[in-house]
Amino acid sequence: MVQAIRMALHVAEERHGVTDIFGEDVGAPLGGAFTATQGLKTAWNSPLDERGIVGASIGLGLAGCRNVAEIQFCDYAFNTIDLLKLAGMMHWASNGDWNCPMTIMTPVGSGIRGSIYHSHSFDATATHLPGFKIMMPSNPRDAYGMLLSCVVDPNPSFFLVPKALLRVRAQPGEEIPGEPGDDKALSKLIDAPLGDRSKWQPQWPDTPDLFVPFGEARTVRQGNDLTVVSYGRTLPLCAKAADELSAEGIEAEVIDLRSLWPYDWERIVESVRRTGRVLYVNEDTEVTNFGEHLIRRTVEELFYELVAPPRLLAGKHVPGIGLADSLEMATVPQLPSITESIRALAKTSA
Amino acid sequence: MVQAIRMALHVAEERHGVTDIFGEDVGAPLGGAFTATQGLKTAWNSPLDERGIVGASIGLGLAGCRNVAEIQFCDYAFNTIDLLKLAGMMHWASNGDWNCPMTIMTPVGSGIRGSIYHSHSFDATATHLPGFKIMMPSNPRDAYGMLLSCVVDPNPSFFLVPKALLRVRAQPGEEIPGEPGDDKALSKLIDAPLGDRSKWQPQWPDTPDLFVPFGEARTVRQGNDLTVVSYGRTLPLCAKAADELSAEGIEAEVIDLRSLWPYDWERIVESVRRTGRVLYVNEDTEVTNFGEHLIRRTVEELFYELVAPPRLLAGKHVPGIGLADSLEMATVPQLPSITESIRALAKTSA
Amino acid sequence: MSSLRPVPTSPEAELSPELLVQLHELMVKARVLEERLIQMYKQGDGYFWIGGPGEEAFNVPLGLLIERGQGPQYDYCHFHYRNSGTLLAMGADPVDALRQMKNTATDPYSGGRNFVGHYSKREWNVVPVSSPIEVQYSMAPGTALAQKRAGGRGITIVTGGDAGTAEGDFATCMIWSSRPANPLPVLMIVTNNKWGISTSWAGQHGEKRIADRGKGFGIESKTIDGNDPEIAYREIKAAMEYVRTERKPFLLEALVSRLNGHSSASGANRATDEADCLQGFERRMEERGLLTRARMDELRAQYNTELQAAHRRIKDEPQPDPATITDHIFSEKDLVSEGRGDK
Amino acid sequence: MSSLRPVPTSPEAELSPELLVQLHELMVKARVLEERLIQMYKQGDGYFWIGGPGEEAFNVPLGLLIERGQGPQYDYCHFHYRNSGTLLAMGADPVDALRQMKNTATDPYSGGRNFVGHYSKREWNVVPVSSPIEVQYSMAPGTALAQKRAGGRGITIVTGGDAGTAEGDFATCMIWSSRPANPLPVLMIVTNNKWGISTSWAGQHGEKRIADRGKGFGIESKTIDGNDPEIAYREIKAAMEYVRTERKPFLLEALVSRLNGHSSASGANRATDEADCLQGFERRMEERGLLTRARMDELRAQYNTELQAAHRRIKDEPQPDPATITDHIFSEKDLVSEGRGDK
Ligand SMILES: Cc1ncc(C[n+]2csc(CCOP(=O)(O)OP(=O)(O)O)c2C)c(N)n1
Ligand SMILES: Cc1ncc(C[n+]2csc(CCOP(=O)(O)OP(=O)(O)O)c2C)c(N)n1
Ligand SMILES: [Mg+2]
Ligand SMILES: [Mg+2]
């Protein structure tokens, strides 16, 4: 996925007027803590100051410069919520006078044994900030198409990157058009070499514009027994759990929400009307969680069509994710807990 | 209510070891933007720096100094969420080695025509921060007893002050023991005079220790038709609406949640089991809202006992509250919308 | 651009009599506007007042010297809530401030959504003023970066008070503007009135001069008497010239008065212990024979009448429609990019 | 308190041979510990390494000079993640660092919850180290305020890197410590290794010396060679003495090396272009006849053996029980207040 992001950023600066891709260690020589910004011509290193990063992103946006600002880990964005709020209200507070095109790109979630401060989620916080559009991919092609959508949108946007999926490859048939099918070949073209990089130039494959529309979810698996709605790291786990449960005769429909704001309510409605059961899965802490919003809306609009209580499977309400594997596994949803939740919901009698 | 807060702070510094009450304009001569800290011996003015305020509060707590740090308006706490997270995880991250006694006191919510930046709510944000205890009063005596509970607790706490209720007086029979029944008499004792205050000394009435326990809600009105759960500014409105609807034959039970974390789930369960209908009311923006957590838990545990979908009435998902009265009224719950929501829920057929 | 714009003078030169008269006129206009707004507050025609009486000697020259226009070739303005004099000098219609005071639907700055003094005018690069103290200093490097890249003489101007410099954003602005990799054309202004609401500067600030904070970063800086419009004009002009040509930051601290307290929250009454820049300037103008007392009284009376009439007029303008609260959460068009083209 | 604590020397005096030998011993111990931790990372006995190889010449003297104990009469320590040498010099058992590296349940600093180098020890006033850069500078004034009020000679020590000074928290610490109303006994330390992960100091920092940033606030400050333990010892001692007696802040910048890159994320391999403080010190100790090469090799071998054995031992210590994730969210008792009593 990290290469998909890099290719999208390349297209963004070549064809969509992005003037600045910046943040801590975003420029040469490193090209980002996860290599997402290697070899990009408009990438530069900022001071170690998240408030400055978000502030500069807003300022650039106000000056009409499309930009992608990276917060190295979303864990370090929590001293900027006021500035993010400000960005989200620029258009509204000026009664439509100003807009502010800007994209905040930041790795989120668990999965790399990141301990307390490299494992936070940001979806609850982001969805509570009016005025932002929010995307979160679960596969490389979506990452590519979402980032481009964020970049060309005239509004502030969050591009939340599930860091656990950064090394994930495209499923067959889901590649980005134009990328060499062979991973090694792609790596040779656009991954910076180890050692001295001062003379290295990436060879960008010719990839087309591709936009994942805001507010459009994707049904990754069909089923009539229950509906599972997820995004990011937990999405592939939901799909896997659903596949496995098929053997037990449980056919779960799995929806990748993709766009968290605006979100594809119609698709959820259609599915839950059919299944009568819905499980929302994410890994943010479970109190005042975005999945709880989706449950609220579900009971508000679909109460009489539910045959079992709608469920949330999310991260435990604890201050952080502990470093030890045993602690991380017990804190955020994993394949076993997802499987068990789907199974339990499928079996809940009406 | 503002005098109840001041008296609690006086008791806190006299009898409960509070060493510092501080924040912007908290000390002499002003004694707080809302006069909540007038005449207190440990009150002092800080630099205009919320990060410094929260940081100092943590540092004091770590050094064993109980302290109350004020953020002048909760609208200005959003650049300190990282520090608040840190406070909330001090005990947990050190595996029980350190604790951090500190109280963040901050006015929240609408009701004073405060426009965009003096009207924010903080309950959604606070409840998403593990490790904090959270109190929010709806009347003077509760304010007094909650603040004292926050102060003596060994953990970080939020004391969220509904600014719309700051001038509200105690209902008959709900006074703080020891306070002169007569408002004018109390004002003469403890309100700073206009003009030169340099020689003024407050005459504190002798008020006792009184602790509102964390996790204990209060049923302010009984009824068997539906349950209304609220706190802060909207609580008295809910009670009023319920009283009025009695004439229509609708008897709503109204619960003042008071303690947002931990919260009194047993009381809600008992009531909803009886009524089968529940409305949650608060004024934070409605997406990823604490009321949605309560709804999630309601459907998780009480689904089969509900006779109508549980409802949330909250603030609109807009970037701020506009200054004009017409805008404020349309943005956050008011008596008419609360009345209408109760009526509608009571009439929803099973 | 604007007919108000004066002919350039060299920084050292005496200001021309015409310019002095123009400065005076705008200072009076700004003062009368603030007095009217306070009046509106006291009469219940607005919930809250905050503004800049006492800062006219600084804010008016600032407004006159700003290169007004849209896009990076012009100056970007990141103001705080005391810049009404600056807006007037830039050419704003004072009636619009009255509209914002009364939160009418016709308020061009926020449509009745925001407090008075919270200007927003994309046409002139005036970014939305917002209440949180000091955040403008974190945003300023962004517009300046766009200007540095665009070339030309456009600069970014950011203003704020003394107490607010305690926020980290003030340091952020210095750090980002003085990066050796890419210094930025930011004119950082602090109007030091020695107060943050009720809190005196004296107990809270270890620095002798706020301007000194620039020195550690190698940022040129100066502290000036902001109560004298002639000094202010010359010094702002010199500082701007430095920023425009060197494409580097400058930190300018202006010592000013706060004539009506912090805001309506503290009563908005006239302070007796603060120097009044307008009085001082009028005395000098009279002494030099550039204006007579009668002419000045007449001017004030004229503005007074005009704004009183305007006040009456806008009283009946409509309040915002409640249904509009959800308007403009998202923009359909990229207004700022479309507006970037030079003109 | 600790038997490691040396007899006071006057700031100017030469350090005694005994102290020099003790400094060397601890520097070796600290270096061997870091090498062991890196080894553990490379062998898969830990997910992440970060630490202080290259900073021993500064961190060890610092640890020796800290007044170790609990409560405001002793020094409060707000450290960052490169202070292993300081902890060792204060008397910490290196095995505990191995435990944190392997995130065992026996890790006394976090019970397997936090990264290595994230110390916490209430008994010694070491507040929990946390990963977010620079937040410790915002908390430091709080403990210093308690100490100022308590009287005595206890001070607050806060450490961090060079790049992190760009965060507003660094300014916050200076502002809050230098308030004229109540200056605070804070020793602000910056270990400047010229890098923030991959980002070079040169492009990002307009200040010549970080220490210069104190000047605007009237804060005493100094930049020293942190690669020389003798200089470091004397200068830390002098700075501490100033803070202890004047009850005012001091800003000390130490120029240090980063010997193994930023962390395991950048490979943790030995850099070839950075001066090694230990090598330099050993050369001088040999020249002065205070230690022989053989004795030094022996010492190193001895620590190596010890830590290798410890590594083997802790490998089998239990991992945290998953059910404990909800332990210690809230404290039942006010531990810090109970622990405040002087002793
Ligand atoms: C971040 C933030 N904190 C607190 C406030 C409340 N407040 C409004 S004005 C003010 C004082 C500002 O003082 P100064 O910066 O000196 O500007 P002045 O009003 O004196 O021009 C305060 C504390 C705010 N608006 N924003
Ligand atoms: C607030 C925050 N932002 C970003 C990071 C990621 N990060 C970890 S260390 C580091 C560089 C720190 O550089 P410096 O302050 O010079 O300390 P050094 O590591 O060089 O000792 C960064 C950016 C972080 N931990 N915290
Ligand atoms: Mg001021
Ligand atoms: Mg460094």
Side-chain angles (χ1 to χ4, degrees):
Chain A
M1 182 184 290
V2 73
Q3 289 143 331
I5 293 172
R6 214 185 297 149
M7 290 189 283
L9 290 171
H10 169 68
V11 169
E13 60 182 17
E14 284 296 330
R15 296 204 295 269
H16 299 291
V18 162
T19 57
D20 296 88
I21 299 167
F22 67 108
E24 296 156 14
D25 305 296
V26 159
L30 191 60
F34 294 96
T35 77
T37 51
Q38 286 181 347
L40 296 163
K41 69 179 187 196
T42 66
W44 53 276
N45 290 327
S46 78
L48 204 176
D49 173 18
E50 288 76 16
R51 294 188 62 75
I53 293 170
V54 175
S57 176
I58 300 174
L60 283 164
L62 293 175
C65 297
R66 290 182 183 174
N67 67 90
V68 179
E70 183 180 79
I71 301 294
Q72 197 164 71
F73 291 87
C74 78
D75 313 58
Y76 305 129
F78 291 98
N79 62 339
T80 70
I81 306 298
D82 62 323
L83 292 169
L84 295 170
K85 283 179 87 79
L86 207 61
M89 69 169 66
M90 209 53 90
H91 187 60
W92 184 90
S94 66
N95 207 24
D97 186 28
W98 286 86
N99 71 304
C100 189
M102 60 187 273
T103 299
I104 303 286
M105 168 164 96
T106 188
V108 301
S110 69
I112 61 159
R113 305 301 170 271
S115 185
I116 309 180
Y117 273 105
H118 304 79
S119 304
H120 273 104
S121 289
F122 206 68
D123 39 315
T125 305
T127 53
H128 194 64
L129 288 170
F132 268 86
K133 298 193 178 175
I134 311 165
M135 290 279 209
M136 186 157 164
S138 71
N139 63 67
R141 194 171 61 187
D142 275 1
Y144 182 88
M146 288 177 180
L147 186 43
L148 285 175
S149 290
C150 285
V151 154
V152 302
D153 197 90
N155 298 287
S157 61
F158 285 115
F159 178 63
L160 305 180
V161 185
K163 65 176 87 76
L165 303 182
L166 274 168
R167 307 282 162 229
V168 153
R169 289 148 189 203
Q171 300 284 326
E174 296 193 355
E175 296 87 0
I176 299 159
E179 68 168 325
D182 175 7
D183 277 329
K184 288 229 183 75
L186 180 60
S187 173
K188 215 161 170 178
L189 290 174
I190 67 166
D191 288 353
L194 294 178
D196 182 26
R197 298 166 170 187
S198 54
K199 297 204 181 62
W200 170 70
Q201 285 281 355
Q203 306 285 307
W204 299 105
D206 187 17
T207 55
D209 286 351
L210 191 147
F211 300 99
V212 172
F214 285 101
E216 193 173 298
R218 178 173 174 231
T219 306
V220 299
R221 188 182 191 284
Q222 294 187 334
N224 283 318
D225 295 336
L226 80 166
T227 305
V228 180
V229 181
S230 187
Y231 45 83
R233 180 184 70 84
T234 48
L235 189 279
L237 298 178
C238 292
K240 189 152 188 239
D243 284 346
E244 289 176 8
L245 285 166
S246 185
E248 299 179 21
I250 297 169
E251 294 298 343
E253 180 140 312
V254 180
I255 295 176
D256 186 350
L257 196 61
R258 306 203 295 182
S259 172
L260 274 54
W261 199 270
Y263 62 85
D264 192 347
W265 180 239
E266 291 67 35
R267 188 178 299 252
I268 296 175
V269 168
E270 187 283 323
S271 179
V272 176
R273 286 231 159 93
R274 224 172 342 99
T275 64
R277 298 170 203 259
V278 59
L279 172 70
Y280 296 100
V281 183
N282 68 55
E283 60 172 323
D284 207 333
T285 49
E286 65 190 340
V287 177
T288 311
N289 174 298
F290 178 54
E292 299 185 317
H293 166 72
L294 296 172
I295 287 193
R296 190 258 293 181
R297 194 145 179 212
T298 302
V299 295
E300 205 164 88
E301 300 187 26
L302 300 169
F303 188 74
Y304 300 102
E305 292 158 88
L306 294 169
V307 298
R311 292 281 173 190
L312 172 69
L313 180 64
K316 296 280 191 306
H317 189 62
V318 295
I321 293 185
L323 175 59
D325 192 62
S326 53
L327 301 177
E328 178 161 334
M329 293 302 121
T331 304
V332 282
Q334 307 295 343
L335 185 59
S337 56
I338 292 172
T339 308
E340 186 40 43
S341 296
I342 297 177
R343 186 187 288 123
L345 181 57
K347 296 197 170 151
T348 308
S349 55
Chain B
M1 181 182 291
V2 74
Q3 289 143 329
I5 293 172
R6 215 185 295 149
M7 289 189 283
L9 289 171
H10 169 69
V11 169
E13 61 183 14
E14 285 296 331
R15 295 204 294 269
H16 299 291
V18 162
T19 56
D20 296 87
I21 298 166
F22 67 106
E24 295 156 14
D25 304 296
V26 159
L30 191 59
F34 294 96
T35 77
T37 51
Q38 284 180 349
L40 296 164
K41 69 178 187 196
T42 66
W44 51 276
N45 289 327
S46 78
L48 204 174
D49 174 18
E50 289 75 17
R51 294 187 64 72
I53 293 170
V54 175
S57 176
I58 301 175
L60 283 165
L62 293 175
C65 296
R66 290 182 183 174
N67 67 89
V68 178
E70 184 181 79
I71 299 294
Q72 197 163 72
F73 291 87
C74 78
D75 313 58
Y76 304 130
F78 291 98
N79 61 339
T80 69
I81 306 298
D82 61 324
L83 292 170
L84 296 169
K85 283 177 89 77
L86 208 59
M89 69 169 68
M90 210 51 89
H91 187 59
W92 184 91
S94 66
N95 205 25
D97 186 27
W98 286 86
N99 72 303
C100 190
M102 59 185 275
T103 299
I104 302 288
M105 169 164 97
T106 188
V108 300
S110 68
I112 61 161
R113 304 302 169 271
S115 185
I116 308 178
Y117 273 105
H118 303 79
S119 304
H120 273 102
S121 290
F122 205 67
D123 38 316
T125 304
T127 53
H128 194 64
L129 287 169
F132 268 86
K133 299 192 177 176
I134 312 166
M135 290 279 207
M136 187 158 164
S138 71
N139 62 69
R141 195 171 60 185
D142 275 0
Y144 181 87
M146 288 177 180
L147 186 42
L148 285 175
S149 291
C150 285
V151 155
V152 301
D153 197 89
N155 298 286
S157 60
F158 286 116
F159 179 63
L160 305 180
V161 185
K163 66 176 87 76
L165 303 182
L166 274 169
R167 307 280 161 231
V168 152
R169 288 149 191 202
Q171 299 286 325
E174 296 194 356
E175 296 86 1
I176 298 159
E179 68 168 325
D182 175 5
D183 278 331
K184 286 229 183 78
L186 180 60
S187 173
K188 216 161 170 179
L189 291 173
I190 67 166
D191 287 354
L194 295 178
D196 182 24
R197 297 167 171 189
S198 55
K199 292 196 190 66
W200 171 71
Q201 286 281 353
Q203 305 285 305
W204 298 104
D206 187 17
T207 55
D209 286 353
L210 191 148
F211 300 98
V212 172
F214 286 101
E216 193 174 298
R218 177 172 174 232
T219 305
V220 299
R221 188 182 192 285
Q222 294 186 334
N224 283 317
D225 294 336
L226 80 165
T227 305
V228 180
V229 181
S230 187
Y231 45 81
R233 180 184 71 84
T234 49
L235 189 278
L237 299 176
C238 291
K240 190 153 189 235
D243 284 346
E244 288 176 10
L245 286 166
S246 184
E248 297 179 21
I250 297 169
E251 294 299 344
E253 180 141 312
V254 179
I255 295 175
D256 186 351
L257 195 61
R258 307 203 295 180
S259 172
L260 274 54
W261 198 270
Y263 62 85
D264 192 347
W265 180 238
E266 291 66 35
R267 188 177 299 253
I268 296 175
V269 168
E270 187 282 322
S271 180
V272 176
R273 285 232 160 92
R274 227 176 334 104
T275 63
R277 298 169 203 260
V278 59
L279 172 70
Y280 296 100
V281 183
N282 69 54
E283 61 172 323
D284 207 332
T285 49
E286 65 190 341
V287 177
T288 312
N289 175 297
F290 177 55
E292 299 185 317
H293 166 70
L294 296 171
I295 287 192
R296 190 258 293 182
R297 194 142 180 216
T298 303
V299 295
E300 206 164 85
E301 301 187 25
L302 300 168
F303 189 72
Y304 299 103
E305 292 159 89
L306 294 170
V307 298
R311 291 281 173 190
L312 172 71
L313 180 64
K316 295 279 193 306
H317 189 62
V318 296
I321 294 184
L323 176 59
D325 192 62
S326 53
L327 302 177
E328 178 161 335
M329 294 301 123
T331 305
V332 281
Q334 308 296 343
L335 186 58
S337 56
I338 292 172
T339 308
E340 186 40 43
S341 296
I342 297 178
R343 186 187 287 121
L345 181 57
K347 295 197 171 151
T348 309
S349 54
Chain C
M1 290 251 354
S2 149
S3 61
L4 288 169
R5 209 149 300 274
V7 219
T9 6
S10 97
E12 296 74 26
E14 288 293 307
L15 307 191
S16 71
E18 296 74 28
L19 177 55
L20 291 172
V21 168
Q22 188 190 15
L23 283 171
H24 173 261
E25 207 170 300
L26 284 163
M27 284 172 67
V28 171
K29 193 172 178 184
R31 177 68 56 85
V32 170
L33 170 60
E34 293 289 8
E35 286 170 353
R36 174 54 43 191
L37 294 170
I38 292 172
Q39 192 70 2
M40 287 178 73
Y41 168 75
K42 295 198 169 177
Q43 293 178 9
D45 280 330
Y47 301 114
F48 178 76
W49 168 81
I50 195 159
E55 299 196 5
E56 296 89 349
F58 184 85
N59 285 342
V60 162
L62 176 63
L64 282 178
L65 287 161
I66 283 169
E67 286 294 331
R68 195 190 83 184
Q70 189 171 341
Q73 294 302 327
Y74 300 92
D75 296 345
Y76 279 102
C77 303
H78 299 260
F79 290 151
H80 70 145
Y81 47 68
R82 301 212 192 274
N83 278 105
S84 57
T86 310
L87 263 286
L88 283 191
M90 289 173 80
D93 186 342
V95 181
D96 288 334
L98 272 49
R99 295 190 160 110
Q100 193 171 34
M101 182 70 199
K102 185 89 172 71
N103 44 262
T104 59
T106 53
D107 151 27
Y109 306 124
S110 72
R113 291 175 174 190
N114 219 336
F115 284 150
V116 70
H118 288 55
Y119 296 95
S120 163
K121 202 168 171 74
R122 185 163 50 88
E123 218 189 316
W124 296 354
N125 278 352
V126 176
V127 313
V129 173
S130 75
S131 304
I133 296 290
E134 224 64 7
V135 290
Q136 66 274 27
Y137 289 87
S138 280
M139 296 186 286
T143 51
L145 181 55
Q147 291 171 312
K148 177 89 181 268
R149 190 161 41 218
R153 287 172 50 87
I155 65 172
T156 285
I157 297 156
V158 54
T159 67
D162 51 305
T165 60
E167 299 274 4
D169 305 85
F170 187 72
T172 286
C173 193
M174 292 194 286
I175 288 165
W176 285 68
S177 307
S178 67
R179 288 171 67 231
N182 198 11
L184 298 177
V186 180
L187 176 56
M188 294 176 66
I189 290 172
V190 180
T191 48
N192 184 347
N193 61 14
K194 302 176 298 297
W195 292 100
I197 306 188
S198 72
T199 302
S200 157
W201 155 275
Q204 307 297 335
H205 289 261
E207 65 272 32
K208 284 217 179 58
R209 290 269 159 251
I210 293 168
D212 292 345
R213 290 187 60 189
K215 291 182 188 163
F217 298 98
I219 295 176
E220 290 292 318
S221 64
K222 196 160 185 180
T223 302
I224 67 162
D225 177 2
N227 271 335
D228 181 330
E230 296 177 78
I231 293 177
Y233 188 92
R234 278 197 295 264
E235 296 290 351
I236 296 169
K237 192 161 169 21
M240 279 184 171
E241 194 55 31
Y242 172 87
V243 180
R244 291 194 196 291
T245 54
E246 298 290 321
R247 314 308 282 161
K248 279 188 194 160
F250 190 101
L251 170 55
L252 184 65
E253 175 186 16
L255 306 177
V256 299
S257 296
R258 194 180 73 171
L259 283 185
N260 290 66
H262 176 69
S263 70
S264 57
S266 53
N269 296 318
R270 179 65 185 246
T272 50
D273 52 353
E274 297 261 353
D276 181 341
C277 60
L278 185 56
Q279 267 173 20
F281 188 44
E282 293 202 332
R283 204 179 319 114
R284 291 198 299 282
M285 291 293 276
E286 227 184 325
E287 279 164 17
R288 292 195 225 162
L290 288 171
L291 283 174
T292 62
R293 187 68 257 166
R295 167 68 193 128
M296 297 190 286
D297 290 345
E298 187 191 325
L299 185 69
R300 185 178 263 263
Q302 175 203 329
Y303 282 133
N304 235 323
T305 315
E306 273 176 38
L307 284 178
Q308 202 166 5
H311 178 181
R312 263 195 308 273
R313 207 162 66 239
I314 64 105
K315 262 188 171 183
D316 301 322
E317 289 182 357
Q319 290 285 300
D321 177 346
T324 62
I325 59 166
T326 52
D327 290 355
H328 306 303
I329 294 176
F330 291 113
S331 178
E332 299 303 317
K333 289 207 300 186
D334 198 348
L335 306 163
V336 293
S337 303
E338 286 169 10
R340 270 198 54 175
D342 293 18
K343 24 174 180 176
Chain D
M1 291 253 351
S2 148
S3 61
L4 289 169
R5 208 149 300 279
V7 224
T9 6
S10 97
E12 297 74 27
E14 287 293 308
L15 307 191
S16 71
E18 294 74 30
L19 177 56
L20 291 173
V21 168
Q22 188 190 14
L23 284 170
H24 173 261
E25 208 170 300
L26 284 163
M27 284 172 66
V28 172
K29 193 173 177 181
R31 178 66 57 84
V32 171
L33 171 59
E34 292 291 6
E35 286 170 353
R36 174 55 42 189
L37 294 169
I38 292 173
Q39 191 69 2
M40 286 179 73
Y41 169 75
K42 296 201 168 173
Q43 293 178 11
D45 281 329
Y47 300 115
F48 179 75
W49 167 82
I50 194 158
E55 300 196 7
E56 295 89 348
F58 185 85
N59 285 342
V60 163
L62 176 63
L64 282 178
L65 288 161
I66 283 170
E67 285 293 330
R68 194 190 85 183
Q70 190 173 340
Q73 294 304 325
Y74 301 92
D75 295 346
Y76 279 102
C77 303
H78 299 260
F79 291 152
H80 71 145
Y81 46 69
R82 299 210 194 275
N83 278 107
S84 57
T86 311
L87 263 286
L88 283 192
M90 289 173 80
D93 185 343
V95 181
D96 287 336
L98 271 49
R99 295 190 160 109
Q100 193 169 36
M101 182 70 199
K102 185 85 174 71
N103 43 264
T104 60
T106 53
D107 151 26
Y109 306 123
S110 72
R113 291 175 174 188
N114 218 337
F115 284 149
V116 70
H118 288 55
Y119 296 96
S120 164
K121 202 169 172 70
R122 184 163 51 88
E123 218 188 316
W124 295 354
N125 277 352
V126 176
V127 315
V129 173
S130 75
S131 304
I133 295 291
E134 223 64 4
V135 290
Q136 66 272 28
Y137 289 87
S138 280
M139 296 185 283
T143 51
L145 181 54
Q147 292 172 311
K148 177 89 180 268
R149 189 157 44 215
R153 288 172 49 88
I155 64 172
T156 285
I157 298 155
V158 55
T159 67
D162 49 305
T165 61
E167 298 274 3
D169 304 85
F170 187 73
T172 286
C173 193
M174 292 194 286
I175 289 165
W176 285 67
S177 306
S178 67
R179 289 171 65 230
N182 198 11
L184 298 177
V186 181
L187 175 56
M188 295 177 66
I189 291 172
V190 179
T191 48
N192 184 346
N193 61 16
K194 304 177 296 297
W195 291 100
I197 306 188
S198 72
T199 303
S200 156
W201 155 274
Q204 307 297 335
H205 289 262
E207 66 273 30
K208 282 215 180 58
R209 290 272 160 246
I210 293 170
D212 292 346
R213 289 188 59 189
K215 291 182 188 162
F217 297 98
I219 296 176
E220 290 293 318
S221 64
K222 195 158 185 181
T223 302
I224 66 162
D225 177 1
N227 271 334
D228 182 330
E230 297 177 75
I231 294 176
Y233 189 92
R234 277 197 296 264
E235 296 290 353
I236 294 170
K237 194 162 167 23
M240 279 186 172
E241 194 54 32
Y242 172 87
V243 180
R244 291 194 196 290
T245 55
E246 298 289 323
R247 317 305 285 160
K248 279 189 193 161
F250 190 101
L251 170 55
L252 184 63
E253 175 186 17
L255 307 177
V256 298
S257 296
R258 194 180 72 171
L259 284 186
N260 289 68
H262 176 69
S263 70
S264 57
S266 53
N269 295 319
R270 180 63 187 246
T272 50
D273 51 353
E274 298 261 352
D276 180 342
C277 60
L278 185 55
Q279 267 173 20
F281 188 44
E282 296 203 331
R283 204 180 317 113
R284 292 199 299 281
M285 291 295 274
E286 228 184 325
E287 280 164 16
R288 292 197 227 162
L290 289 171
L291 284 173
T292 63
R293 188 66 259 164
R295 166 68 193 127
M296 297 190 287
D297 290 346
E298 189 190 327
L299 186 71
R300 186 179 263 263
Q302 175 203 328
Y303 283 132
N304 237 323
T305 314
E306 273 176 37
L307 284 177
Q308 204 169 359
H311 178 183
R312 261 195 309 273
R313 210 164 62 238
I314 66 106
K315 262 190 170 184
D316 301 321
E317 290 182 355
Q319 290 284 302
D321 177 348
T324 62
I325 59 167
T326 52
D327 291 355
H328 306 303
I329 294 176
F330 291 115
S331 179
E332 298 303 316
K333 288 206 301 184
D334 199 347
L335 308 162
V336 292
S337 303
E338 288 168 13
R340 268 198 56 176
D342 293 18
K343 23 173 175 174

